[in-house]
């Protein structure tokens, strides 16, 4: 499912930069990529009257190919490519949580983000969590603490 989500995010980002980030609910990056792309279009297109005269997608592509110089096409292509790559990596969960070492409390084993100790699920990725039993803590040689949690498989 993660691969399908990553491919969908990449495909949407190719159609409109920022749309793939909206799919994965990364709203700040959605606004940044969409705003950057639309700003670049406004900067590199010579006249807004030409944009309003577009009747089909084919005419729009011809306008972009004819009216935007090579540098403008490069910039627009770079924004589209970077948005698609970024959306793909973010949908795959890379990098997993910015840095887990800086978290003071327990972290989610699924997404790596910090957990609220009072909840029985991760409020970031909705993974169900179950506290570790005290006898499991003693037998664990990795040195985990009592506040660490493990995911529980849920029937969906």
């Amino acid at each position: 499912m993660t691969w399908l989500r990553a491919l969908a995010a990449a495909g949407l980002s190719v159609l409109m930069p920022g749309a793939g980030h909206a799919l994965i609910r990364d709203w700040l990056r959605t606004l940044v990529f969409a705003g950057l792309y639309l700003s670049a279009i406004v900067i590199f297109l010579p006249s807004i009257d030409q944009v309003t005269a577009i009747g089909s997608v084919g005419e729009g592509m011809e306008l972009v190919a004819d009216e935007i110089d090579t540098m403008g096409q490069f910039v627009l292509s770079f924004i589209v490519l970077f948005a698609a790559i970024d959306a793909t990596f973010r949908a795959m969960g890379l990098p997993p949580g910015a840095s887990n070492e800086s978290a003071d409390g327990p972290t989610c084993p699924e997404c790596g983000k910090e957990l609220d100790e009072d909840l029985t699920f991760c409020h970031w990725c909705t993974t169900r969590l179950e506290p570790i039993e005290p006898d499991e803590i003693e037998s664990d040689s990795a040195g985990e603490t009592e506040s660490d949690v493990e995911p529980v498989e849920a029937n969906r």
Side-chain angles (χ1 to χ4, degrees):
M1 188 66 173
T2 303
W3 282 99
L4 182 61
R5 185 177 178 203
L7 288 174
L12 285 173
S13 289
V14 169
L15 294 175
M16 174 61 191
H21 291 91
L23 176 71
I24 59 175
R25 298 183 188 131
D26 195 347
W27 305 116
L28 181 62
R29 287 180 187 248
T30 298
L31 294 174
V32 168
F33 278 111
L36 188 62
Y37 186 71
L38 294 175
S39 297
I41 286 176
V42 168
I43 290 169
F44 289 110
L45 272 179
S47 172
I48 201 71
D49 294 333
Q50 293 173 338
V51 175
T52 58
I54 294 174
S56 68
V57 174
E59 289 177 14
M61 297 305 281
E62 288 177 20
L63 175 69
V64 169
D66 294 339
E67 297 296 326
I68 297 180
D69 61 342
T70 307
M71 184 58 143
Q73 290 177 357
F74 173 76
V75 169
L76 291 174
S77 299
F78 179 77
I79 294 169
V80 168
L81 181 64
F82 188 68
I85 290 171
D86 186 60
T88 303
F89 280 119
R90 303 281 295 182
M92 292 295 296
L94 300 171
S99 89
N100 294 340
E101 294 82 25
S102 66
D104 294 332
T107 58
C108 176
E110 190 69 29
C111 68
K113 295 186 179 178
E114 191 170 355
L115 294 172
D116 185 357
E117 295 176 9
D118 298 333
L119 299 177
T120 59
F121 65 95
C122 174
H123 62 281
W124 298 104
C125 67
T126 67
T127 300
R128 252 201 234 176
L129 305 169
E130 184 175 294
I132 297 176
E133 299 298 324
D135 55 338
E136 291 178 15
I137 295 171
E138 294 171 4
S139 65
D140 189 14
S141 62
E144 294 179 323
T145 62
E146 291 182 32
S147 62
D148 289 337
V149 290
E150 291 181 351
V152 173
E153 294 296 323
N155 294 332
R156 294 182 187 190

